[in-house]
Amino acid sequence: MAFHKILCPVDFSPGSQRALAAAARLARAHGGELIVLHAWALPSVAVAGEYFYPAELVQDFVNDAQRRVDVAVAEARALGAPQVTGRVIDGPAWRTIVDTAKLDPAIDVIVIGTHGRTGVRRVLLGSVAEAVVRHASCPVLTLRPEDELRSFRHVLCPIDFSPASRAAVELAGQLAEPGGKGIVLVHALELPSVWGDLRPFDADRELSRIANTQLAEWASELAARVKLPVVPRVLVGRPGGELLAALDADRSIDLVVIGNRGRTGLARMALGSVAEKIVRHAHCPVLVAHAEPAPVQIPAVAAPSAAHALTH
């Protein structure tokens, strides 16, 4: 897929500045339209039993936001984006961003910066970027303020053989650029828990064989289409930890492309998904695939039943 229409929410922080630069680069590379969006909402203030802000103060907020968006639009144009427009919308940030993308099906991707917070507060409350990753109907590219904007010549694509993984593989193939290490397709195989050291009928070896065979099929098909190196790799262990360890071990990875199944509810709020863990902790930009693009001729095989999914 090509990125014909890109939505870039900005809050004028260093993270959103980095996202704007990345969005402008994508727009330039794909000849796409870039929408720079700022969502603003005043906190409720009780005055004599009513929620009230003077009209002049509200207008000052709007005018200031519009001026900043105009500056961001000019910056994106200076970076080579061929068509850029700006919008200032009143509403809660993450909801406004998600609704804007849902109301305009032509939007192919949301490019958003994160603030890079860590610790208990982030785990419990999340961030605007994480809420967008959870709820967006289109792919979401997240960038930290410190992310270096490099060419995507070494792409890591975790897969669990699900439709979300097929979407991720398609995006990885579109974004990976020649001249580098290409694409690594990685599957984390979590073996069944057993009591003590007992393993029934050599299950480890059989599950590993199945996973390696299926992953090799995916890699072979993708390599034939993109004409880039595609390396299959099976990791054994808990998906989130294994994937983060792989990222830490190879700092040359420029981009992670991962599918997300969009689970919601209390379990997700408490545990998060593997995709959200990667968004929080990866040292490079992360593209989370939501919607499945056009069919990509990858064998529709099921993952081994005892292998836990890489994305939740």
Side-chain angles (χ1 to χ4, degrees):
M1 65 175 291
F3 294 125
H4 298 296
K5 200 167 190 178
I6 301 161
L7 178 65
C8 182
V10 295
D11 63 1
F12 316 114
S13 66
S16 78
Q17 287 296 108
R18 185 68 68 181
L20 180 67
R25 191 178 82 177
L26 281 178
R28 181 180 70 241
H30 292 261
E33 175 187 355
L34 173 58
I35 301 170
V36 179
L37 170 70
H38 176 69
W40 67 277
L42 297 176
S44 298
V45 174
V47 178
E50 297 181 0
Y51 295 106
F52 173 76
Y53 274 97
E56 297 81 1
L57 181 60
V58 174
Q59 192 59 50
D60 286 343
F61 277 118
V62 175
N63 291 342
D64 181 63
Q66 187 62 60
R67 281 192 294 268
R68 294 187 177 202
V69 166
D70 291 343
V71 170
V73 167
E75 291 175 353
R77 288 172 178 160
L79 290 170
Q83 182 182 351
V84 190
T85 56
R87 298 182 189 176
V88 176
I89 301 179
D90 176 11
W94 77 265
R95 175 66 70 182
T96 300
I97 296 163
V98 168
D99 287 349
T100 298
K102 285 182 178 178
L103 291 171
D104 188 350
I107 292 174
D108 300 303
V109 65
I110 299 170
V111 182
I112 187 169
T114 73
H115 292 284
R117 289 202 309 262
T118 57
V120 173
R121 181 168 180 263
R122 178 164 192 171
V123 171
L124 294 177
L125 299 180
S127 68
V128 171
E130 287 173 348
V132 172
V133 167
R134 287 189 187 115
H135 300 288
S137 57
C138 64
V140 180
L141 176 63
T142 65
L143 297 98
R144 290 173 169 268
E146 65 272 19
D147 283 346
E148 182 180 353
L149 289 180
R150 302 182 297 194
S151 298
F152 298 145
R153 296 184 178 181
H154 190 189
V155 178
L156 183 70
C157 184
I159 64 172
D160 63 357
F161 308 110
S162 67
S165 288
R166 289 197 291 271
V169 168
E170 175 68 7
L171 288 169
Q174 291 291 335
L175 289 172
E177 301 177 24
K181 295 182 179 180
I183 302 168
V184 179
L185 296 185
V186 60
H187 174 71
L189 177 64
E190 187 172 1
L191 298 172
S193 299
V194 297
W195 183 264
D197 294 327
L198 177 64
R199 292 287 183 189
F201 53 82
D202 204 8
D204 294 9
R205 182 180 301 175
E206 179 63 12
L207 289 172
S208 180
R209 183 193 67 78
I210 294 171
N212 276 283
T213 298
Q214 294 180 355
L215 195 62
E217 291 177 359
W218 283 51
S220 176
E221 192 283 333
L222 179 62
R225 290 193 299 111
V226 300
K227 309 302 181 184
L228 292 171
V230 180
V231 178
R233 184 181 177 191
V234 174
L235 306 174
V236 178
R238 295 183 66 84
E242 291 297 326
L243 182 53
L244 287 173
L247 279 168
D248 286 340
D250 192 345
R251 309 296 287 190
S252 72
I253 295 170
D254 306 308
L255 175 70
V256 178
V257 184
I258 186 169
N260 191 39
R261 295 187 179 182
R263 197 176 70 195
T264 58
L266 182 60
R268 178 164 192 173
M269 182 177 66
L271 301 176
S273 70
V274 172
E276 289 170 16
K277 290 183 178 71
I278 302 307
V279 168
R280 291 186 191 122
H281 301 295
H283 65 77
C284 61
V286 179
L287 180 63
V288 180
H290 288 274
E292 185 177 3
V296 294
Q297 304 302 316
I298 291 177
V301 293
S305 59
H308 289 192
L310 183 60
T311 53
H312 293 178

